[in-house]
């Protein structure tokens, strides 16, 4: 019977022990129009998985590790709709990742990955009249992969990668307007 008593005490201690987690994770699926959402995540282990279906939405996100410990900052954004404005910011240290997939028309996307280390943005836009601004700064190892597809309305993209070497870029654009589409990539 001593074994049963010891097992019960051990189980109680395990259940009452504090659990430490550095995760700062948020998962949102929003359906509807005219949402105004601001997300601020500070500390290690930032993850945002955001799905939007609707028109005229405004989303501002900010992720910052705030320490010199390499931690991930992760944003996955999936938007279906028109006239949406999205600003995504990731600051500090390594392991910044954005995956952005947008289907609709006249959407505006600003993505900033700042300072110190690996940066990755995968962006897929399908529709007309999109405007994209992307800036990656910091200590090298930049990567951007952009695919823009439209059916008649022009799009514009401005992308900048700067700092200590390691820069990469892939851009695929399909433009079906006689006025043309605009793409500008600056690397220094």
């Amino acid at each position: 019977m001593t074994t049963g008593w010891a097992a019960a005490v051990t189980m109680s201690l395990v259940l009452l022990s504090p659990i430490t987690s550095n995760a700062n994770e948020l998962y949102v699926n929003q359906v509807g129009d005219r949402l105004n959402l601001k997300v601020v995540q500070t500390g290690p282990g930032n993850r945002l998985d955001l799905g939007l279906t609707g028109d005229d939405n405004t989303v501002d996100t900010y992720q910052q590790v705030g320490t010199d410990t390499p931690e991930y900052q992760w944003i996955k954004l999936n938007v279906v709709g028109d006239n949406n404005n999205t600003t995504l910011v990731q600051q500090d240290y390594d392991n910044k990742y954005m995956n952005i997939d947008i289907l609709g028309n006249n959407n505006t996307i600003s993505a900033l990955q700042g300072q110190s280390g690996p940066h990755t943005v995968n962006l897929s836009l399908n529709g007309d009249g999109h405007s994209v601004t992307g800036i990656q700064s910091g200590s090298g190892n930049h990567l951007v992969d952009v695919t823009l597809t439209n059916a008649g309305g022009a799009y514009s993209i401005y992308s900048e990668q700067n700092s200590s070497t390691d820069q990469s870029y892939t851009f695929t654009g399909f433009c079906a307007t006689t006025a043309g589409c605009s793409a500008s990539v600056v690397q220094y």
Side-chain angles (χ1 to χ4, degrees):
M1 287 299 158
T2 304
T3 307
W5 178 81
V9 169
T10 303
M11 181 60 83
S12 295
L13 290 174
V14 169
L15 292 174
L16 296 175
S17 297
I19 297 172
T20 303
S21 173
N22 290 331
N24 191 5
E25 300 178 359
L26 180 62
Y27 302 87
V28 177
N29 284 309
Q30 170 68 30
V31 177
D33 298 337
R34 293 182 266 313
L35 170 71
N36 189 354
L37 177 66
K38 182 172 186 173
V39 176
V40 176
Q41 294 178 298
T42 57
N46 297 318
R47 180 181 176 124
L48 175 62
D49 192 337
L50 179 58
L52 292 175
T53 300
D55 301 329
D56 304 306
N57 296 304
T58 300
V59 175
D60 296 312
T61 70
Y62 181 80
Q63 294 181 327
Q64 182 174 20
V65 171
T67 67
D68 60 358
T69 303
E71 284 287 343
Y72 70 88
Q73 299 180 70
W74 193 90
I75 295 176
K76 181 179 181 186
L77 176 65
N78 190 353
V79 176
V80 177
D82 301 330
N83 305 309
N84 296 296
N85 290 305
T86 305
T87 301
L88 310 170
V89 178
Q90 294 175 320
Q91 288 287 90
D92 293 339
Y93 307 102
D94 293 340
N95 303 320
K96 293 176 271 305
Y97 175 78
M98 291 183 190
N99 185 351
I100 305 163
D101 190 7
I102 298 180
L103 173 62
N105 299 307
N106 303 310
N107 293 294
T108 301
I109 300 93
S110 297
L112 168 66
Q113 293 177 312
Q115 303 171 347
S116 298
H119 309 79
T120 300
V121 174
N122 294 309
L123 173 62
S124 176
L125 289 153
N126 195 329
D128 298 331
H130 297 300
S131 176
V132 177
T133 301
I135 298 175
Q136 294 175 311
S137 62
S139 278
N141 200 7
H142 310 81
L143 171 70
V144 174
D145 183 8
V146 178
T147 302
L148 290 168
T149 304
N150 76 10
Y155 58 73
S156 68
I157 181 170
Y158 173 82
S159 183
E160 179 180 309
Q161 294 174 314
N162 65 59
S163 82
S164 301
T165 332
D166 283 5
Q167 300 171 339
S168 179
Y169 208 90
T170 302
F171 174 75
T172 304
F174 301 97
C175 184
T177 179
T178 57
C181 297
S182 168
S184 176
V185 177
V186 177
Q187 293 178 314
Y188 57 92

